[in-house]
Amino acid sequence: MSNKSDSIKTEWNLSQLYKSPKDPKINADIKNAEKAYAVFVKKYKKNDKYLKDETAILKALQDYEKLADMPTSKAFFYLRLSQDLDSRNEIVRAESNLVLQRLQKLGNTILFFEIGISKIPISLQKKFLKSKKLAHYRYFLKKIFESGKYVLTEPEEKILSLKSLPSHSLWTDAVEKLRNKQTVEYKGRQTPVSEASFIIKDLPTQEERLVLHNKMLEQYYSIADMAESEINAIVTDKKINDELRGFVEPYDSTILAYENDKKSVLNLVRTVTSNFPISHRFYDIKTKALRLKKLLYSDRGVSIGKSRKKIPFNDACKTLIKTLTSVDKEFGEILKRFILNGQIDAYPKVGKHGGAYCAPEHNSPTFVLLNHVDTFDSLMTFGHEMGHAIHGEFSRSQGVLYEGHSMSTAEVASTLFELFVFYDEFQKLTDSEKVVALHDKIQDDVQTIFRQIACFNFEVEMHNTIRKEGNMSKEKLAECMNKHMKSYLGKTELSEKDGYFFVGWPHIRNFFYVYSYAFGQLASKALYQKYKEDKSYIIEIKKFLSAGSSMSPEDIFKSIGVDVTKPDFWQKGIKNIEEDVALLESLVNKKINKK
């Protein structure tokens, strides 16, 4: 890759998918899929031999795999990305909804297939799972069999699929659209709220942080009535779905979908929650290091020093390429390709989706969305999202049925790559800069582990309250949010309006997703420790990256020498954080005593 800045593309090139939202190829691709689906339905809808015979189900699964290999959802993928670049584009939004409805109808035509397989008698299930002929499909079948008791009849599944758009997607899209339009005045210009949330961390005084923070909260509060209606609607819709399917706890369906062991997840939540005092201790140290009388919610993300220079996106690209290449040459090559092909959208702008994400799609380029603001945090976010992207690239070797991955393994890949970036940069710092860097690393651990589990606990209370009482007002939602944020923040002071952060937290619309962050961060520490002890462990890491969803997360980890099912596994990772906090405390005290 050339060092010239013009070699670095900072905007998505979505023409790799389609030329425009009105590209005739969109309709052509969907029509081709509709024809192929019709052939599949005609062949298997009224012929249930595949539900009884080993050879017949093998052929049916092969045909099903070919169907999945088609670019059926490519059009929606393109339109969704286009919408995330500019939520104000009504043409894209309308086309996206029309395509989604069309795809939902198409998907409904083959619901009978997996539903039928899920209802195969237990004795025959066991036979199929032991079959050598069906070895390639074993885990795929295992997942279907395990979900079978929660699967409804085909007509009922069709209804649930069709209503998901107006009962969930359109609600969350509407609030997201409102959020993305919100701006605050900062230094004489209207700044997107998504950008302001990053700027706050780098403001030098508590007063400045609070002013900008309150401006953001005013924008959230202005749309809180809409968010209240949205939350109550989608949570009630989930309650209905869960009751119909037989899920007992509101998080049960998420854990099943993420292919995790429920005992391991609940052990994670209990272990992290019981260790919130470690997080309290960290914020006490931060308060002391910042020489503040009290820490405010607007201060939670600020660093304790300003030792780091600005990192423009061009420099971030060069740094990340160098770091990833030093870990494994193939990692660096993937990043170079993404940059040169326009697969990364770098900078924030009005109407653009906030935060950052990686969007993979079968047989299509993977796209990474950033909101880079030239900080070290932005570099770390870049590394995080490239972890997702590289995971996706390696997983493609599994083929269409297994190239995806559970959310919990996805977050392992992303946080592991963050560790690669952090420790590579850490070695280049002076002693005083390392104090700041250590603080920021612990802060990332606290936000990724303790904060996300506090959010998980918030979601549990929110869902259970709405299920029991039928509704939560925006005031009650804000109060509940503050209660659970306070649980991990300790003495940090929260105002009544701080609770309205629920309006701007997109993850709570993706129910209980947040536990995967804590799962991933703690598991990645185990992988990094093994890599640190023996660089040849990168072979096992690449094996993990290539596994896709061919096994359960627990089994994937076991295959590379990590057992997340052990009762004390999560506690070991937290002990590492506790040791870092103790070191930070001694360094901060030493620094203060010198003065």
Side-chain angles (χ1 to χ4, degrees):
M1 179 179 170
S2 169
N3 287 326
K4 293 181 180 179
S5 61
D6 60 3
S7 297
I8 295 176
K9 294 182 174 65
T10 60
E11 295 184 342
W12 280 343
N13 175 17
L14 296 183
S15 66
Q16 297 173 80
L17 300 171
Y18 295 103
K19 294 179 181 178
S20 74
K22 297 290 187 180
D23 189 337
K25 198 170 185 309
I26 290 177
N27 186 53
D29 282 348
I30 297 176
K31 276 193 170 183
N32 285 337
E34 288 169 341
K35 290 177 183 177
Y37 274 57
V39 170
F40 184 88
V41 171
K42 185 177 180 180
K43 186 173 182 179
Y44 293 107
K45 178 76 171 179
K46 295 182 178 180
N47 177 10
D48 65 354
K49 187 179 179 182
Y50 68 94
L51 300 176
K52 307 169 186 176
D53 179 79
E54 185 179 7
T55 302
I57 196 172
L58 173 62
K59 174 59 179 169
L61 288 168
Q62 289 170 340
D63 287 345
Y64 186 72
E65 190 169 16
K66 288 177 184 176
L67 207 61
D69 201 37
M70 297 186 70
T72 308
S73 59
K74 180 181 172 184
F76 181 69
F77 178 63
Y78 164 76
L79 291 166
R80 187 71 193 187
L81 294 179
S82 300
Q83 189 173 318
D84 283 350
L85 287 182
D86 186 4
S87 62
R88 301 166 299 178
N89 192 322
E90 296 297 338
I91 293 175
V92 170
R93 183 175 293 275
E95 289 293 326
S96 179
N97 288 338
L98 289 173
V99 165
L100 180 58
Q101 291 173 42
R102 197 170 169 185
L103 294 180
Q104 284 179 323
K105 289 179 181 178
L106 185 58
N108 279 343
T109 65
I110 61 167
L111 275 176
F112 72 89
F113 186 71
E114 289 195 21
I115 291 174
I117 292 175
S118 74
K119 304 301 183 184
I120 288 174
I122 299 295
S123 59
L124 200 51
Q125 288 183 17
K126 291 179 179 177
K127 179 183 175 182
F128 287 166
L129 290 176
K130 291 178 181 178
S131 167
K132 290 183 179 179
K133 280 185 181 180
L134 299 173
H136 171 64
Y137 300 101
R138 186 169 295 140
Y139 186 61
F140 178 73
L141 289 171
K142 181 175 180 288
K143 288 191 292 183
I144 294 177
F145 293 155
E146 286 176 349
S147 66
K149 64 180 179 179
Y150 305 109
V151 175
L152 305 177
T153 64
E154 184 186 346
E156 288 171 323
E157 289 293 344
K158 285 183 177 180
I159 291 169
L160 293 187
S161 175
L162 290 171
K163 82 174 181 65
S164 67
L165 179 64
S167 59
H168 189 282
S169 299
L170 292 180
W171 274 107
T172 55
D173 285 351
V175 173
E176 182 181 17
K177 182 180 179 181
L178 281 174
R179 282 200 307 268
N180 291 342
K181 284 184 175 180
Q182 303 308 304
T183 62
V184 294
E185 192 278 328
Y186 177 70
K187 288 189 175 180
R189 75 177 181 93
Q190 289 302 308
T191 302
V193 166
S194 60
E195 183 179 349
S197 64
F198 287 100
I199 292 172
I200 286 174
K201 300 174 186 178
D202 293 313
L203 295 179
T205 68
Q206 188 176 60
E207 183 181 3
E208 289 175 275
R209 292 191 291 272
L210 183 59
V211 168
L212 187 55
H213 174 78
N214 283 339
K215 286 182 179 180
M216 286 179 57
L217 288 176
E218 285 170 11
Q219 296 306 307
Y220 285 153
Y221 186 76
S222 71
I223 59 173
D225 285 325
M226 180 64 173
E228 173 193 311
S229 297
E230 169 219 20
I231 290 292
N232 281 282
I234 64 176
V235 170
T236 301
D237 176 62
K238 176 178 169 51
K239 173 193 174 185
I240 294 168
N241 292 351
D242 283 354
E243 288 176 346
L244 288 172
R245 294 190 184 283
F247 289 113
V248 177
E249 301 295 343
Y251 46 72
D252 283 346
S253 59
T254 299
I255 293 174
L256 180 67
Y258 290 3
E259 303 167 40
N260 282 126
D261 174 73
K262 184 175 176 179
K263 288 183 179 179
S264 292
V265 172
L266 295 184
N267 181 34
L268 165 68
V269 173
R270 283 192 299 268
T271 303
V272 174
T273 302
S274 68
N275 280 282
F276 278 170
I278 296 172
S279 177
H280 300 170
R281 183 180 175 189
F282 166 73
Y283 284 110
D284 288 344
I285 297 167
K286 178 197 280 283
T287 306
K288 188 175 183 180
L290 291 171
R291 297 181 179 276
L292 297 173
K293 291 182 179 179
K294 59 184 176 182
L295 204 68
L296 305 178
Y297 194 53
S298 50
D299 300 320
R300 71 190 184 283
V302 70
S303 184
I304 60 173
K306 287 292 177 184
S307 60
R308 295 195 179 99
K309 63 181 180 181
K310 291 287 185 181
I311 307 175
F313 184 67
N314 287 0
D315 292 343
C317 289
K318 293 169 188 173
T319 296
L320 206 53
I321 288 170
K322 185 177 179 181
T323 297
L324 296 188
T325 301
S326 70
V327 177
D328 187 88
K329 185 178 179 181
E330 195 171 357
F331 297 164
E333 291 300 321
I334 290 172
L335 174 54
K336 289 179 187 177
R337 171 159 48 85
F338 271 53
I339 294 168
L340 295 175
N341 290 349
Q343 290 171 243
I344 299 171
D345 200 272
Y347 296 112
K349 46 184 172 279
V350 176
K352 182 180 173 180
H353 188 286
Y357 66 68
C358 172
E361 174 69 12
H362 179 62
N363 282 341
S364 294
T366 295
F367 289 90
V368 171
L369 181 140
L370 304 172
N371 278 279
H372 193 88
V373 289
D374 298 352
T375 63
F376 186 79
D377 278 348
S378 289
L379 173 64
M380 294 296 288
T381 298
F382 193 1
H384 180 102
E385 298 307 332
M386 283 311 302
H388 284 308
I390 290 168
H391 192 188
E393 294 298 294
F394 273 84
S395 295
R396 288 180 190 268
S397 63
Q398 288 290 341
V400 65
L401 292 185
Y402 297 132
E403 73 176 8
H405 32 257
S406 164
M407 285 296 180
S408 46
T409 57
E411 293 306 330
V412 173
S414 57
T415 53
L416 175 62
F417 276 73
E418 275 193 72
L419 290 173
F420 289 145
V421 177
F422 174 80
Y423 284 113
D424 191 51
E425 290 299 297
F426 187 78
Q427 301 307 318
K428 304 171 186 175
L429 304 176
T430 64
D431 289 344
S432 60
E433 287 174 330
K434 284 180 178 178
V435 176
V436 178
L438 178 61
H439 163 276
D440 291 356
K441 180 68 189 75
I442 298 170
Q443 180 162 274
D444 181 66
D445 283 336
V446 167
Q447 291 178 338
T448 306
I449 298 168
F450 296 104
R451 183 170 182 255
Q452 300 300 342
I453 293 302
C455 183
F456 183 94
N457 295 336
F458 159 77
E459 286 193 69
V460 172
E461 182 171 348
M462 176 182 73
H463 282 258
N464 285 335
T465 301
I466 293 174
R467 288 179 175 208
K468 181 181 178 181
E469 300 179 8
N471 185 76
M472 279 184 84
S473 67
K474 63 179 186 290
E475 291 83 8
K476 288 293 184 183
L477 285 164
E479 182 183 329
C480 186
M481 174 63 77
N482 266 354
K483 169 187 169 183
H484 289 285
M485 294 302 101
K486 183 73 174 172
S487 70
Y488 91 93
L489 286 166
K491 296 175 186 175
T492 302
E493 186 175 290
L494 286 83
S495 71
E496 184 179 322
K497 273 198 173 181
D498 285 330
Y500 286 90
F501 198 82
F502 83 86
V503 175
W505 200 332
H507 296 104
I508 64 174
R509 280 82 175 168
N510 191 2
F511 306 128
F512 302 100
Y513 164 72
V514 291
Y515 88 75
S516 66
Y517 282 114
F519 189 109
Q521 188 89 330
L522 289 170
S524 68
K525 286 180 179 295
L527 267 60
Y528 184 81
Q529 185 62 35
K530 285 182 173 290
Y531 169 76
K532 184 180 176 183
E533 292 168 359
D534 180 4
K535 294 296 190 292
S536 69
Y537 189 71
I538 193 64
I539 296 171
E540 299 301 308
I541 289 174
K542 291 175 80 171
K543 187 189 297 183
F544 158 76
L545 295 171
S546 301
S549 60
S550 59
M551 295 182 279
S552 73
E554 285 78 8
D555 286 343
I556 291 173
F557 291 127
K558 281 182 182 178
S559 74
I560 59 169
V562 175
D563 189 355
V564 302
T565 64
K566 287 184 177 179
D568 64 343
F569 177 80
W570 308 116
Q571 189 63 51
K572 285 181 180 178
I574 289 173
K575 182 172 175 55
N576 174 262
I577 300 170
E578 187 174 23
E579 290 168 353
D580 283 348
V581 170
L583 175 60
L584 177 67
E585 186 170 38
S586 67
L587 292 172
V588 167
N589 287 338
K590 185 177 179 181
K591 186 176 180 181
I592 289 174
N593 290 335
K594 275 186 178 181
K595 293 183 178 180

